[in-house]
Amino acid sequence: MFHVERCPYKIINMFPVYDVIVVGAGHAGCEAAYSAAKMGSKVLLVTMNMGVIAQMSCNPAMGGVAKGQIVREIDALGGMSGIISDKSMVQFRMLNRSKGPAMWSPRSQNDRNLFSAEWRKALENNSNVDFWQEMVTDVLIKDDQTCGVKTALGIEISSRSVVLTNGTFLNGIIHIGEKQFGGGRTGEKAAKGLTEQLVKVGFQSGRMKTGTPPRVDARSLNYKVMEEQQGDENPGKFSFSSQTSPLKKQLSCHITYTNPDVHEILQTGFDRSPMFNGRIKGVGPRYCPSIEDKINRFAERNRHQIFVEPEGWNTVEVYVNGFSTSLPEDVQYKALTKIPGFEKAKMFRPGYAIEYDYFPPTQLNHTLETKLVKNLFFAGQINGTTGYEEAASQGLMAGINAHLKINEKEPLILKRSQAYIGVLIDDLINKGTEEPYRMFTSRAEYRILLRQDNADIRLTEMGHSIGLADDERLASVITKSEKYDTLIKELKEIKVLPNEINHGLAEINTAKIHEKTSVYQLLKRPEISLGNLRKHDASLNTSLSKYDDECIQQAEIHTIYETYIDKEKKLVEKIEQLENLKLRENFDYKSITSLSAEAIEKLNKIKPKTIGQASRISGVSPADISIILVYFGK
């Protein structure tokens, strides 16, 4: 175990020796600090501005396609993003309801200021979390192991582990037209020194770019010409816990569109665009392009959708989702006023692009500990990801594994078959990323297993075993599982007669039955739900009254998709056989001359621990895997 006496740096007495120092208080940093502290570590959270802890730097929303699954997984493990989102929610929608349950994704619109305040309250209520407001310029390293951090004031603070969650602040440069200035986000300075130090140690770094749209005054908009987008009639929530409740009232969003006039005005600023004149070198997010990129790449389209999103309960500030831009502010404003409903718009602040440093994540282990320096963890945009949810999940896992590592316990590594978080981290470690990584349901091979509705059943027992999810959470999951099993059994036992149900079946345009049939078998038909069956069967209605809507929904999903679920489980078992085939960690793949040159390069760089991991490395083909199996089979 690491002993602080080994640290060669002079430590100021005002600080104790911390178990974990977390650098950065964004979504990743907050989850890292909270999880490690709740598990028992003494944590110092270092941020350059205590006033913007957990700031929603871009859109005031959580969740969405695949991202909503991640928030529910964080909650199931015992993290806080789901609870904070629920407490600050102004609207809730379950996306993709028209598709299968594997695609359903919860999304909330949030009060930006309340979200930050609730996160700060949660951290301050944990006595294991201390705070320090300052810039970190160096990671203290001795014998290839971190032992603390050094700040811009020259203060050296000792710790047994360090988690870096620097977001967009590492050498950040903000671009608005031909203007550029240092900053991590608007109104906040960039972080200097840390990238240069880590590169000297031996880390590889790169540059990425993201952007944000202008903010406008809701009082200046004409909502009558826009399409109103209300929340769900019966809103849900993210957290499985009893700490939060669904919304009683909601704010509406609105939808409008750009048009050829808007596009023409935007094009007048292309000669001053940092994107098109080469000033921006970093790679931007493919799936969230700026408005100028959209009209340039998709010139055949006459319009693009704009979502008009409120920033909170008690503010008139509005987020113009879909209008991310780094064009000059005068061009931004002129173009905005040509959007229906924005004719008299007043702009609070212009949109901008930001470039920042990141470190290719192939330099990490699955625990998010760096391969080069022990007890040093990276989480969030420093790893090349984009999005609050992706960052928060990495912060959670880094905080968990930092605590487990310094206490000499087994790490927590989620498999691809266990969680979207597992898919995210596995993709980063094995494939790396040269553009901001965003999670999609299509990235998960086992998305029928990894649904948002069963995240607690998948993960809460795991979170409880490491001391993060509390006893109440575990008891709730056990009760839920027991109810679910009982309901499935009842549905198999409840039989209906043709003369009792055929009239109802005809009403929903499905084939009649000719003999006594179980409700379970009827539910195999995709057009049938328990909701329409119970209308025509009093005994079924009585049986279902003992169960809540969530339990009934899960029973329906299991019944309809039982065959597909079983197929995915068998596929998981087959693939996991490869995960059990270990590889020598320091093996030089150059000695296998029949491997492709790319495979040798990637395998030597990433050093996979199993055949399964090797098979997921970009550039390693199935033929290469066969060769490795034959070679080690000897």
Side-chain angles (χ1 to χ4, degrees):
M1 186 181 290
F2 173 66
H3 296 288
V4 74
E5 303 89 74
R6 295 179 59 192
C7 190
Y9 303 95
K10 182 180 179 182
I11 307 301
I12 291 185
N13 291 330
M14 64 184 284
F15 294 103
V17 176
Y18 287 98
D19 294 313
V20 182
I21 291 177
V22 177
V23 180
H27 299 261
C30 288
E31 284 288 3
Y34 179 85
S35 59
K38 189 173 181 183
M39 292 169 71
S41 283
K42 190 64 180 174
V43 176
L44 178 67
L45 181 58
V46 186
T47 174
M48 292 196 290
N49 187 348
M50 291 268 300
V52 289
I53 285 174
Q55 171 83 317
M56 291 182 129
S57 306
C58 204
N59 62 323
M62 289 291 284
V65 178
K67 294 167 175 280
Q69 282 86 330
I70 289 176
V71 176
R72 297 210 98 188
E73 289 176 352
I74 292 170
D75 181 77
L77 284 165
M80 285 297 290
S81 286
I83 290 172
I84 301 296
S85 297
D86 288 350
K87 288 183 175 181
S88 60
M89 194 183 294
V90 300
Q91 188 195 88
F92 180 90
R93 294 177 66 222
M94 184 66 76
L95 306 183
N96 287 336
R97 277 286 195 183
S98 61
K99 300 180 181 179
M103 303 295 287
W104 296 354
S105 302
R107 183 185 189 272
S108 67
Q109 205 65 39
N110 293 83
D111 185 310
R112 183 188 300 278
N113 292 329
L114 188 56
F115 185 93
S116 180
E118 288 291 346
W119 247 123
R120 180 162 178 169
K121 188 191 302 181
L123 291 166
E124 289 181 347
N125 284 343
N126 190 320
S127 59
N128 276 339
V129 179
D130 289 346
F131 302 87
W132 184 249
Q133 180 172 293
E134 206 191 334
M135 183 193 298
V136 168
T137 57
D138 293 88
V139 175
L140 305 182
I141 299 168
K142 172 67 175 178
D143 297 332
D144 297 327
Q145 182 164 296
T146 184
C147 54
V149 299
K150 182 179 180 180
T151 72
L153 290 176
I155 299 172
E156 293 168 348
I157 309 170
S158 182
S159 68
R160 300 164 69 195
S161 64
V162 172
V163 181
L164 297 183
T165 68
N166 302 83
T168 60
F169 282 77
L170 293 177
N171 292 321
I173 297 177
I174 291 173
H175 297 266
I176 304 175
E178 296 176 300
K179 302 164 188 172
Q180 63 180 54
F181 45 91
R185 57 184 167 223
T186 185
E188 297 180 67
K189 62 184 179 181
K192 303 287 187 180
L194 196 52
T195 296
E196 292 75 11
Q197 186 232 348
L198 292 174
V199 168
K200 283 182 182 177
V201 171
F203 287 96
Q204 293 178 327
S205 71
R207 277 308 252 181
M208 281 190 177
K209 167 255 175 188
T210 189
T212 192
R215 310 309 200 264
V216 300
D217 188 335
R219 297 171 299 181
S220 65
L221 302 182
N222 179 11
Y223 287 103
K224 292 179 182 177
V225 300
M226 302 182 200
E227 174 189 336
E228 185 177 9
Q229 188 180 54
Q230 298 180 336
D232 287 352
E233 186 176 348
N234 297 304
K237 62 192 187 87
F238 282 111
S239 181
F240 294 98
S241 76
S242 58
Q243 293 186 44
T244 62
S245 303
L247 286 170
K248 301 297 183 186
K249 63 175 183 175
Q250 302 185 69
L251 294 179
S252 289
C253 296
H254 290 79
I255 298 173
T256 184
Y257 296 87
T258 63
N259 53 55
D261 289 342
V262 175
H263 300 176
E264 186 177 338
I265 292 171
L266 290 170
Q267 287 170 342
T268 66
F270 278 11
D271 61 330
R272 293 183 284 158
S273 165
M275 262 190 58
F276 297 136
N277 60 25
R279 281 197 300 279
I280 291 179
K281 306 295 184 186
V283 181
R286 178 184 309 201
Y287 304 104
C288 190
S290 65
I291 188 65
E292 56 264 40
D293 195 21
K294 281 190 273 192
I295 66 171
N296 185 54
R297 286 166 53 192
F298 308 108
E300 73 282 1
R301 296 189 185 178
N302 291 324
R303 67 177 194 171
H304 294 281
Q305 203 168 43
I306 300 294
F307 294 92
V308 184
E309 301 178 345
E311 297 258 352
W313 294 109
N314 302 306
T315 179
V316 296
E317 189 169 355
V318 166
Y319 181 87
V320 190
N321 195 342
F323 204 84
S324 174
T325 180
S326 58
L327 288 170
E329 63 271 26
D330 60 320
V331 176
Q332 293 185 35
Y333 177 71
K334 288 176 186 175
L336 272 176
T337 59
K338 295 298 181 181
I339 296 174
F342 281 71
E343 291 85 356
K344 297 180 180 179
K346 294 179 181 178
M347 195 161 69
F348 282 167
R349 51 191 161 117
Y352 61 86
I354 181 167
E355 281 188 285
Y356 56 93
D357 293 336
Y358 85 106
F359 291 84
T362 51
Q363 301 172 97
L364 304 175
N365 294 308
H366 274 86
T367 58
L368 298 182
E369 182 185 23
T370 67
K371 295 175 181 177
L372 204 57
V373 178
K374 296 175 184 175
N375 293 4
L376 175 62
F377 296 77
F378 291 173
Q381 284 175 289
I382 192 173
N383 290 336
T385 60
T386 182
Y388 306 146
E389 303 82 3
E390 290 91 340
S393 67
Q394 292 172 71
L396 176 79
M397 299 308 294
I400 287 170
N401 281 309
H403 170 86
L404 294 173
K405 176 74 184 292
I406 62 176
N407 286 285
E408 298 183 325
K409 294 182 179 180
E410 285 296 310
L412 179 65
I413 297 173
L414 297 176
K415 300 175 184 176
R416 297 181 73 91
S417 57
Q418 291 176 317
Y420 272 87
I421 299 173
V423 174
L424 165 68
I425 293 174
D426 190 68
D427 277 355
L428 293 175
I429 302 312
N430 292 316
K431 298 175 182 175
T433 186
E434 295 179 355
E435 62 184 51
Y437 178 101
R438 179 178 177 182
M439 178 53 72
F440 292 100
T441 50
S442 59
R443 295 190 190 273
E445 311 93 304
Y446 313 113
R447 52 185 175 273
I448 295 177
L449 300 180
L450 307 183
R451 305 185 312 275
Q452 55 83 30
D453 61 276
N454 68 358
D456 55 341
I457 293 174
R458 288 185 277 122
L459 299 172
T460 296
E461 186 175 355
M462 203 179 298
H464 182 267
S465 70
I466 59 172
L468 191 54
D470 57 30
D471 293 341
E472 182 185 345
R473 286 292 194 100
L474 182 62
S476 176
V477 170
I478 291 171
T479 301
K480 176 179 174 178
S481 298
E482 289 173 348
K483 280 187 176 181
Y484 165 76
D485 291 338
T486 303
L487 177 55
I488 291 290
K489 185 178 178 182
E490 281 191 37
L491 294 177
K492 290 178 178 178
E493 293 173 351
I494 297 172
K495 305 284 175 61
V496 292
L497 296 169
N499 64 329
E500 295 173 333
I501 203 70
N502 276 344
H503 176 69
L505 296 179
E507 284 185 1
I508 55 175
N509 297 315
T510 188
K512 296 179 180 181
I513 59 173
H514 302 288
E515 59 186 8
K516 184 187 286 188
T517 306
S518 72
V519 171
Y520 190 79
Q521 282 303 119
L522 281 174
L523 277 177
K524 296 286 186 182
R525 304 182 187 183
E527 64 272 21
I528 292 180
S529 70
L530 285 172
N532 51 41
L533 283 180
R534 66 196 298 183
K535 292 176 184 176
H536 302 281
D537 190 296
S539 61
L540 176 60
N541 201 33
T542 301
S543 297
L544 291 179
S545 64
K546 305 192 296 281
Y547 303 98
D548 58 36
D549 291 343
E550 184 182 28
C551 186
I552 291 170
Q553 184 184 85
Q554 283 204 314
E556 286 183 324
I557 292 170
H558 172 83
T559 307
I560 294 169
Y561 292 95
E562 182 179 27
T563 303
Y564 300 100
I565 290 170
D566 288 343
K567 280 183 179 178
E568 282 204 353
K569 285 180 177 177
K570 288 175 182 176
L571 182 59
V572 169
E573 290 172 6
K574 184 178 179 181
I575 295 298
E576 285 190 350
Q577 292 175 8
L578 295 178
E579 299 295 342
N580 294 327
L581 296 176
K582 306 291 184 185
L583 291 170
R584 298 177 210 161
E585 201 164 333
N586 296 314
F587 181 76
D588 186 354
Y589 289 89
K590 288 179 182 176
S591 59
I592 309 179
T593 55
S594 49
L595 287 174
S596 68
E598 184 179 7
I600 291 171
E601 179 189 346
K602 296 288 181 66
L603 290 164
N604 275 334
K605 179 180 179 181
I606 293 172
K607 299 291 185 185
K609 292 181 170 58
T610 68
I611 289 288
Q613 184 186 351
S615 70
R616 296 190 297 275
I617 296 172
S618 178
V620 178
S621 70
D624 293 319
I625 295 299
S626 297
I627 291 167
I628 294 170
L629 283 168
V630 170
Y631 183 90
F632 284 107
K634 293 178 181 178

